[in-house]
Amino acid sequence: MRPSQNTSGAFAISTAAAERLCYGSSDITLLADAPDTNGALSSIATTLGTGALGALAHYHRHSSETFYVIDGSIDVLVNTNIITVAQHSSLTVAPNTHHAFAATPGQHAELLIALTPAIERFSYFRLLLEVTRGTRSRHEILDSQDRYDTYFVQSGIWNQTLAARLRQ
């Protein structure tokens, strides 16, 4: 059990006590999931290395996703637009909106991400780490899209953006 407090309708956890998943130059700290908040929200803290990819293009049918940039900046795909979200700024993506994000080239990023309403997503991030490490199949992610309300899409604009980064 995680060292946390969930009393009188409130949940508290320190980042030091939270589970941390490392993906190369980036990491995700699992803060609060659906059972912790009675379904109100899921939240994670994410650190992206310089120019690192945060997520491929996807959407959520049932949840809004809010990104708050604590430090650095991120580039976010919002349907067919790329928006830069700077330090101390936030962006909320409504359900059914295609989105992806990455640290802005030459920048790192520290983010707080919240999804509302919540479904249990911590298992998704653990599965994603295993797929990244090659110990699980990427087909397992695709097969879990309904369970985690995360549906992957193709985005020519996002793919062009990522390709341009590689050429720099």
Side-chain angles (χ1 to χ4, degrees), residues 95-108:
N96 297 307
T97 302
H98 294 186
H99 60 284
F101 66 97
T104 302
Q107 295 283 314
H108 73 283

Side-chain angles (χ1 to χ4, degrees), residues 124 128 131 138:
Y124 168 78
L128 186 61
V131 169
R138 67 180 173 87

Side-chain angles (χ1 to χ4, degrees), residues 2 4-7 9-13 31-33 36-37:
R2 302 186 306 151
S4 60
Q5 297 179 10
N6 189 345
T7 59
F11 176 79
I13 187 166
L31 297 175
D33 210 0
D36 302 320
T37 65

Side-chain angles (χ1 to χ4, degrees), residues 58-137:
H58 66 284
Y59 69 96
H60 309 287
R61 289 182 180 161
H62 305 288
S63 296
S64 294
E65 188 166 8
T66 299
F67 301 85
Y68 178 77
V69 180
I70 298 166
D71 193 30
S73 68
I74 58 173
D75 292 336
V76 183
L77 168 73
V78 179
N79 289 320
T80 59
N81 298 301
I82 306 292
I83 298 169
T84 298
V85 184
Q87 181 176 346
H88 303 298
S89 299
S90 70
L91 171 73
T92 299
V93 178
N96 297 307
T97 302
H98 294 186
H99 60 284
F101 66 97
T104 302
Q107 295 283 314
H108 73 283
E110 292 181 36
L111 315 169
L112 177 63
I113 301 173
L115 291 108
T116 59
I119 61 166
E120 292 189 45
R121 284 193 171 88
F122 284 6
S123 295
Y124 168 78
F125 294 113
R126 293 179 189 112
L127 174 60
L128 186 61
L129 178 61
E130 291 180 40
V131 169
T132 301
R133 290 181 174 163
T135 58
R136 300 278 290 269
S137 166

Side-chain angles (χ1 to χ4, degrees), residues 135-153:
T135 58
R136 300 278 290 269
S137 166
R138 67 180 173 87
H139 295 289
E140 291 181 71
I141 291 284
L142 298 175
D143 292 343
S144 70
Q145 292 181 108
D146 286 331
R147 178 178 179 194
Y148 298 117
D149 188 32
T150 301
Y151 301 89
F152 293 97
V153 295

